C-alpha cells in the first residue's frame, strides 16, 4: 500500500465530488466505521479515512483511478446493514458510499427496473409496487442499498419461489479498481456471450468492482396472497414438515422457521402482539398466486401436509395489513436477538431435505455444551440461523468450538457455512473449512486480475 496523507487524499477527492461530498473530520465519521455485525464479532475499524460520496460511474472512475495510482485502499459502502464486516474500513484509506446514487426507472414493458446503487430496498419495493409490479425478495433490513444487495447476493425471507438476488440481476454497470467502466448484461432474458463476468461480480462483496447501476427483473404483482402461521410443539417436527411441503408440488414465496419466545419479544419490540398462542415454534408460510381461488386451494393443500406432519391449529392471514404485520414482526427478530445477548448468528445452509437431520445435530450440540440456541431462518431454503447465546460461564474458546461443530454438522450434510450473509472479514478464517486450496488459489488469482494493486476492500472475502 502507498504512503499518503489523509488531508491530501481529501483534497484530491474534493476536486472530483466537491467539498460537501467529502468527509474526513473525525467527529463526523462514526456512522461509516461499522456495519450491523453482531457486536461481539465486530472488526476493529481504522478511523484514518476519507468518506467520499460520488453521484455517478464517471466520478467513481476518477476516484478509483486516483486511488489505484497511489495505492490507497477503497472500502465500498451501501446501507451498512451487512453482518460480516464487509463495509468496515480496516485500513487507512477511502470509504466510498453510494448514498447519492438514487436514480430508479421502472420499465413496465420489459418487466425490469434500472436502479442506481444507492436506492434502498424500501425505495425499490415501493417503486415496483407503484408501477403495478413486484420485487419479491426481502432480506430483513429495508435500508440496505441495491448495490449492497447485489454485492452480497442477498437472500432473506422471500427467496423460496424466485431465488436470491442473483436470480433478479440482468445487467450491471460497474467500475473496475483500475477505473474502467463496464456495462455487463442488459435487459436480456438469455445471454451466453463469453464468460459471465456479471455473475462473478454478484456476491463479490466489494472486492472486484464497484457496482453503480443494476438492471433488475421484476415480477407481475400477484393477484392474491396469504400468510399461514403453522404452530408446532417442537423444533424437529416443525422443520421435518418443510421438505414435505416442497414435495407437495406447491412452492410458497417463503417458508420461515421461528420460535415463540423470540416472536413474542420481536412483536413487543415494535409495539405489536404476536397473534398465535399455541405451540413453541412456527413455520411462517407465504403463498402468492393469480387469484384468491388459487391461494385458497394452495393454502388448503399446505395445511393438510402440515397437519399430517403434526402441526397444531393454523392461523390464516389474508388482509394485507395483517400479512405486513407478520413480516414486520419477523424482521424485528434480529435486533431483538442482539439485545438478548446473542454472541453469534450462524448462516449455515444444507440441502432442503436434510434440514431435519441438521436440526437434530444442532440440538445434540446444545446438549453436549450444556447450552441453548435460538434458531430462526429461511427453512424453505435449508438456511437456518443458529444463534449462540451468551451464558454465564461460557468462554470464547467454547463458543469457537460450538461454532466449529455446527459448521461441521452442516458440511457433513453437503451444506456450507454462509448461505447469504457472505464472508466479509468476520468469516474469513473459516473459509478453508469448506473451500479447497485450489478453489482459494483460483479466487486469489481472479482478485489479482481485477485488482492488481489490491486496493478494493483489501482483507475481505479472499484470504491473504
Ligand atoms: C436486521 C437485519 C436483517 C437482515 N436480514 C438478512 C436476510 O434475511 N438475508 C440476507 O441476505 N441478508 C440479511 N441482512 C444482511 C444485509 O442486510 C445484507 O447483506 C445486505 O445485502 C447488505 O446491503 P448494504 O447495502 O447494507 O451493504 P453494506 O453493509 O454497506 O455492504 C455489504 C458488502 O457489500 C459491499 N458493497 C456495498 N455496496 C457496494 C457497491 N455498490 N459495489 C460494490 N460493493 C458494494 C461492501 O463493501 C460490503 O462488502 C440483514 C441485516 C440486518 C441488519
Amino acid at each position: 500500500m502507498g504512503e499518503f496523507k489523509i488531508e491530501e487524499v481529501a483534497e484530491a477527492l474534493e476536486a472530483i465530488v466537491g467539498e460537501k461530498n467529502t468527509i474526513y473530520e473525525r467527529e463526523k465519521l462514526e456512522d461509516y466505521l461499522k456495519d450491523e455485525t453482531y457486536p461481539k464479532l465486530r472488526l476493529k475499524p481504522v478511523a484514518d479515512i476519507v468518506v467520499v460520496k460520488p453521484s455517478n460511474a464517471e466520478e467513481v472512475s476518477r476516484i478509483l483511478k486516483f486511488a489505484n495510482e497511489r495505492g490507497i485502499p477503497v472500502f465500498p459502502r451501501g446501507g451498512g446493514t451487512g453482518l460480516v464486516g464487509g463495509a468496515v474500513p480496516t485500513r487507512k484509506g477511502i470509504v466510498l458510499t453510494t448514498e447519492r446514487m438514487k436514480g430508479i426507472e421502472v420499465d413496465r414493458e420489459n418487466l425490469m427496473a434500472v436502479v442506481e446503487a444507492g436506492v434502498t430496498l424500501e425505495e425499490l419495493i415501493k417503486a415496483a409496487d407503484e408501477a403495478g409490479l413486484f420485487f419479491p425478495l426481502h432480506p430483513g433490513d429495508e435500508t440496505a442499498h441495491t448495490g449492497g444487495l447485489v454485492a452480497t447476493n442477498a437472500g432473506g425471507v422471500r427467496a423460496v419461489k424466485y431465488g436470491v438476488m442473483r436470480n433478479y440481476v440482468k445487467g450491471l454497470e460497474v467500475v473496475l479498481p483500475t477505473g474502467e467502466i463496464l456495462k455487463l448484461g442488459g435487459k436480456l432474458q438469455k445471454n451466453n456471450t463469453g464468460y459471465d463476468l456479471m455473475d462473478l461480480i454478484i456476491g463479490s462483496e466489494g472486492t472486484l468492482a464497484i457496482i453503480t447501476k443494476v438492471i433488475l427483473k421484476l415480477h407481475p404483482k400477484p393477484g392474491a396472497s396469504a400468510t399461514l402461521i403453522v404452530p408446532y410443539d417442537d423444533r424437529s417436527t416443525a422443520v421435518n414438515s418443510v421438505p414435505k411441503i416442497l414435495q407437495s408440488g406447491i412452492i410458497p414465496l417463503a417458508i420461515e422457521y421461528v420460535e415463540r419466545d423470540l416472536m413474542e419479544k420481536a412483536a413487543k419490540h415494535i409495539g405489536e402482539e404476536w397473534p398465535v398462542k399455541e405451540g413453541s415454534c412456527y413455520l411462517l408460510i407465504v403463498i402468492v398466486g393469480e387469484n384468491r381461488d388459487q391461494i385458497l386451494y394452495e393454502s388448503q393443500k399446505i395445511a393438510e401436509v402440515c397437519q399430517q406432519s403434526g402441526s397444531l391449529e393454523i392461523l390464516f392471514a389474508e388482509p394485507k395489513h395483517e400479512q405486513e404485520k407478520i413480516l414486520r414482526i419477523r424482521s424485528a427478530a434480529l435486533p431483538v436477538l442482539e439485545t438478548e445477548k446473542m454472541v453469534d448468528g450462524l448462516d449455515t445452509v444444507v440441502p432442503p431435505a436434510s434440514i431435519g437431520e441438521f436440526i437434530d445435530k444442532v440440538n445434540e450440540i446444545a446438549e453436549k455444551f450444556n447450552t441453548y440456541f435460538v434458531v430462526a431462518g429461511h427453512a424453505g431454503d435449508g438456511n437456518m440461523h443458529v444463534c449462540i447465546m451468551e451464558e454465564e460461564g461460557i468462554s470464547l474458546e467454547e463458543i469457537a468450538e460450538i461454532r466449529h461443530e455446527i459448521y461441521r454438522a452442516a458440511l457433513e450434510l453437503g451444506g456450507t457455512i454462509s448461505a447469504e450473509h457472505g464472508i466479509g472479514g468476520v468469516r474469513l478464517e473459516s473459509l478453508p473449512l469448506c473451500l479447497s486450496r485450489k478453489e482459494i488459489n483460483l479466487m486469489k488469482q481472479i482478485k489479482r486480475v481485477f485488482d492488481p494493486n489490491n486496493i478494493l476492500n483489501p482483507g475481505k472475502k479472499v484470504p491473504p
Side-chain angles (χ1 to χ4, degrees), residues 21-34:
N21 296 313
T22 311
I23 313 174
Y24 65 99
E25 300 86 345
R26 283 285 168 101
E27 65 282 6
K28 295 184 188 161
L29 295 175
E30 191 61 29
D31 288 348
Y32 297 95
L33 298 177
K34 57 180 191 311

Side-chain angles (χ1 to χ4, degrees), residues 76 78-82 86 140 145 148-149 151-152 154-156 205-206 209 211 334 378 420 457:
T81 69
H145 289 189
L149 294 168
T152 56
E205 299 181 48
I211 297 155
L334 189 55
H378 316 304
E420 53 176 18
N457 222 357

Side-chain angles (χ1 to χ4, degrees), residues 52-168:
V52 64
K53 305 179 185 183
S55 65
N56 55 44
E58 286 69 31
E59 287 179 358
V60 174
S61 164
R62 288 174 65 195
I63 295 164
L64 290 184
K65 271 188 192 144
F66 162 74
N68 191 46
E69 274 163 19
R70 301 284 306 272
I72 303 170
V74 178
F75 297 93
R77 184 179 181 89
T81 69
L83 297 173
V84 288
V88 177
T90 44
R91 299 182 192 182
K92 182 179 168 188
I94 298 169
V95 169
L96 188 154
T97 161
T98 52
E99 65 197 53
R100 286 179 66 223
M101 300 185 195
K102 286 296 205 182
I104 177 160
E105 239 174 70
V106 177
D107 174 352
R108 283 185 224 186
E109 287 180 11
N110 284 307
L111 278 78
M112 290 191 197
V114 182
V115 187
E116 286 191 332
V119 170
T120 64
L121 176 62
E122 183 184 13
E123 290 161 347
L124 171 59
I125 291 172
K126 188 160 173 268
D129 188 64
E130 282 169 1
L133 294 169
F134 182 42
F135 181 71
L137 204 63
H138 198 274
D141 193 324
E142 291 189 2
T143 64
H145 289 189
T146 303
L149 294 168
V150 177
T152 56
N153 187 25
V157 170
R158 302 196 294 212
V160 183
K161 195 178 179 85
Y162 301 118
V164 296
M165 201 60 193
R166 186 183 299 286
N167 301 69
Y168 293 88

Side-chain angles (χ1 to χ4, degrees), residues 32-290:
Y32 297 95
L33 298 177
K34 57 180 191 311
D35 64 2
E36 293 296 328
T37 301
Y38 316 124
K40 289 259 167 9
L41 304 178
R42 282 190 184 156
L43 301 175
K44 199 167 177 310
V46 170
D48 230 359
I49 55 158
V50 185
V51 174
V52 64
K53 305 179 185 183
S55 65
N56 55 44
E58 286 69 31
E59 287 179 358
V60 174
S61 164
R62 288 174 65 195
I63 295 164
L64 290 184
K65 271 188 192 144
F66 162 74
N68 191 46
E69 274 163 19
R70 301 284 306 272
I72 303 170
V74 178
F75 297 93
R77 184 179 181 89
T81 69
L83 297 173
V84 288
V88 177
T90 44
R91 299 182 192 182
K92 182 179 168 188
I94 298 169
V95 169
L96 188 154
T97 161
T98 52
E99 65 197 53
R100 286 179 66 223
M101 300 185 195
K102 286 296 205 182
I104 177 160
E105 239 174 70
V106 177
D107 174 352
R108 283 185 224 186
E109 287 180 11
N110 284 307
L111 278 78
M112 290 191 197
V114 182
V115 187
E116 286 191 332
V119 170
T120 64
L121 176 62
E122 183 184 13
E123 290 161 347
L124 171 59
I125 291 172
K126 188 160 173 268
D129 188 64
E130 282 169 1
L133 294 169
F134 182 42
F135 181 71
L137 204 63
H138 198 274
D141 193 324
E142 291 189 2
T143 64
H145 289 189
T146 303
L149 294 168
V150 177
T152 56
N153 187 25
V157 170
R158 302 196 294 212
V160 183
K161 195 178 179 85
Y162 301 118
V164 296
M165 201 60 193
R166 186 183 299 286
N167 301 69
Y168 293 88
V169 179
K170 294 287 158 196
L172 288 181
E173 176 188 78
V174 302
V175 186
L176 298 179
T178 39
E180 294 93 342
I181 300 172
L182 296 185
K183 290 189 196 306
L184 306 168
K187 289 181 179 173
L188 307 171
Q189 290 292 6
K190 292 179 162 182
N191 185 352
N192 268 351
T193 323
Y195 286 144
D196 198 335
L197 299 177
M198 184 180 83
D199 248 334
L200 189 56
I201 287 167
I202 301 167
S204 64
E205 299 181 48
T207 60
L208 299 181
I210 304 251
I211 297 155
T212 48
K213 214 178 261 178
V214 186
I215 299 174
L216 286 173
K217 178 187 164 79
L218 300 175
H219 284 265
K221 216 188 260 193
S225 70
T227 298
L228 276 60
I229 305 184
V230 189
Y232 291 87
D233 273 331
D234 68 278
R235 227 177 235 175
S236 237
T237 315
V239 294
N240 275 310
S241 308
V242 174
K244 293 178 189 144
I245 297 168
L246 295 171
Q247 288 152 17
S248 75
I250 291 167
I251 304 293
L253 185 64
I255 308 178
E256 291 289 293
Y257 170 84
V258 289
E259 297 182 343
R260 178 170 176 168
D261 185 48
L262 179 60
M263 283 302 99
E264 286 181 346
K265 285 177 179 153
K268 199 165 165 213
H269 184 70
I270 58 166
E272 298 282 1
E273 197 179 336
W274 180 242
V276 185
K277 298 290 166 235
E278 275 198 292
S280 64
C281 52
Y282 313 92
L283 294 181
L284 307 184
I285 303 174
V286 183
I287 302 165
V288 291
E290 273 177 37

